[in-house]
Amino acid sequence: MMQNDPLKPGYNFDAHLVAGLTPIIEGDELDFTIDRPSGMKGFIINFTSKGEGTIFHGKDAFDVQPGDLLLFPPSAAHYYQRKEDCSSWFHRWVYFRPRAFWHDWLNWQEERNGVYITRGLDEETIRHIEHLFIDIEYTSKSDVPYRNDLAVNLLEQLLIRCKSLQPDVVSKPLDPRVIEAMNYMTQHLNQDFSIEDISAHICLSPSRLGHLFRDEMEMTITQWRDDQRISRAKQLLVTTNYSINHIGRIVGYTDPLYFSRVFKRKSGVSPKRYREQVT
């Protein structure tokens, strides 16, 4: 039988975003060790709100306290539990599949055994971060219009906030021409535009724009465009009854076979399989 509770073993984290609070109290039904030696398909960002937890064991073990943040990449092993001499550990978390342009936000300065750590934050920052976790969970579970878009937007705010807290971060604003290129693509996502169309709009040569975009975003224009299109397609697959071919056309793919190939390359499953898994 499929497990529908993400707090219990056996839950299949196949959704694009899942958020929650795990309230662990000594002797309660959630008082067990999470052990995923192969990690997960996506990322988990974790925030301790009360009590203490222990991450890993033996020489790799370390403890987390209220206000501490963890980021588990897909490659990192999961092994954590309530700290033995502490009666509780409440931690908020968000599981997510990142968009391609989030890459830079998902590398923090301090890392232990493949897991990123941020700690030592002031009280105001801790309150702000916890509110973001709460808002992400509330929004993702609500029935408000565009809840998926809103939850992803809040997650982006959380990831940017966490990245900005890293000691090695030097503020470097994006080139305004790259921002304008991204705005153009977002506004024309359903159209068959070319790099020449974008470059003409911002008065740069296609070659110069391609190099500038890659330097600033660490990916090509085509990669960024496809990432946005597939993210939008995922939302439509979950929130509408449109046919897969129609959704492909809405996000800019006139060839349904090409749409399915790009979707599977980005998501690991076909559009049909993705809809079956998350609905």
Side-chain angles (χ1 to χ4, degrees):
M1 181 177 176
M2 182 178 290
Q3 173 60 261
N4 293 319
D5 186 346
L7 305 186
K8 303 289 182 63
Y11 180 82
N12 187 4
F13 284 86
D14 271 336
H16 192 62
L17 185 154
V18 186
L21 166 68
T22 303
I24 302 174
I25 299 172
E26 186 175 1
D28 204 355
E29 62 174 345
L30 297 178
D31 190 19
F32 56 84
T33 299
I34 294 294
D35 185 9
R36 304 185 187 104
S38 300
M40 302 180 74
K41 295 177 183 176
F43 285 73
I44 281 189
I45 185 168
N46 181 297
F47 171 84
T48 294
S49 58
K50 177 182 175 182
E52 295 183 61
T54 298
I55 315 301
F56 299 125
H57 53 89
K59 63 180 178 58
D60 295 321
F62 63 92
D63 297 332
V64 288
Q65 301 174 340
D68 289 353
L69 286 155
L70 302 171
L71 179 64
F72 291 80
S75 57
H78 291 221
Y79 190 94
Y80 47 85
Q81 60 194 336
R82 173 185 56 83
K83 186 180 178 185
E84 189 173 355
D85 60 359
C86 190
S87 62
S88 67
W89 181 34
F90 285 34
H91 58 98
R92 298 188 177 277
W93 50 269
V94 183
Y95 169 87
F96 60 95
R97 308 283 182 90
R99 294 177 172 176
F101 68 93
W102 296 0
H103 174 77
D104 183 56
W105 307 340
L106 300 173
N107 289 280
W108 298 356
Q109 183 173 354
E110 185 180 353
E111 176 261 328
R112 297 274 296 272
N113 202 28
V115 176
Y116 294 109
I117 313 164
T118 296
R119 58 177 102 200
L121 307 177
D122 61 77
E123 291 185 8
E124 183 179 352
T125 299
I126 289 172
R127 280 196 301 271
H128 187 85
I129 285 175
E130 183 162 21
H131 285 154
L132 281 170
F133 272 92
I134 293 169
D135 288 347
I136 292 167
E137 179 185 3
Y138 171 80
T139 303
S140 66
K141 294 177 178 177
S142 73
D143 57 1
V144 300
Y146 299 104
R147 66 183 182 277
N148 295 320
D149 300 277
L150 289 169
V152 169
N153 180 268
L154 289 164
L155 175 58
E156 288 184 339
Q157 292 183 49
L158 174 62
L159 296 176
I160 293 169
R161 169 70 62 148
C162 292
K163 180 64 176 181
S164 71
L165 296 169
Q166 303 309 307
D168 61 343
V169 168
V170 177
S171 180
K172 179 180 178 292
L174 279 177
D175 188 294
R177 294 166 295 181
V178 170
I179 295 174
E180 186 62 24
M182 291 191 292
N183 287 339
Y184 179 91
M185 286 188 280
T186 301
Q187 292 164 10
H188 299 81
L189 205 58
N190 64 332
Q191 299 175 20
D192 188 22
F193 56 81
S194 65
I195 189 171
E196 286 78 15
D197 296 325
I198 308 168
S199 59
H201 177 72
I202 60 176
C203 302
L204 280 181
S205 71
S207 175
R208 175 68 183 123
L209 174 60
H211 284 98
L212 178 64
F213 195 95
R214 196 159 46 244
D215 289 344
E216 293 276 315
M217 300 302 296
E218 298 185 349
M219 70 180 73
T220 67
I221 287 174
T222 300
Q223 288 170 331
W224 192 91
R225 179 206 64 192
D226 285 345
D227 188 75
Q228 303 309 300
R229 284 177 168 174
I230 297 307
S231 292
R232 178 63 178 147
K234 285 179 177 178
Q235 292 160 5
L236 291 170
L237 285 166
V238 174
T239 59
T240 74
N241 293 318
Y242 296 153
S243 71
I244 290 171
N245 288 355
H246 183 51
I247 289 174
R249 289 194 296 272
I250 288 175
V251 300
Y253 297 104
T254 55
D255 182 344
L257 292 177
Y258 181 67
F259 168 56
S260 292
R261 283 201 301 272
V262 175
F263 192 100
K264 187 168 185 178
R265 187 175 72 243
K266 291 281 186 181
S267 309
V269 293
S270 68
K272 180 182 178 183
R273 180 65 178 146
Y274 181 85
R275 173 175 266 171
E276 291 171 348
Q277 288 176 342
V278 299
T279 58

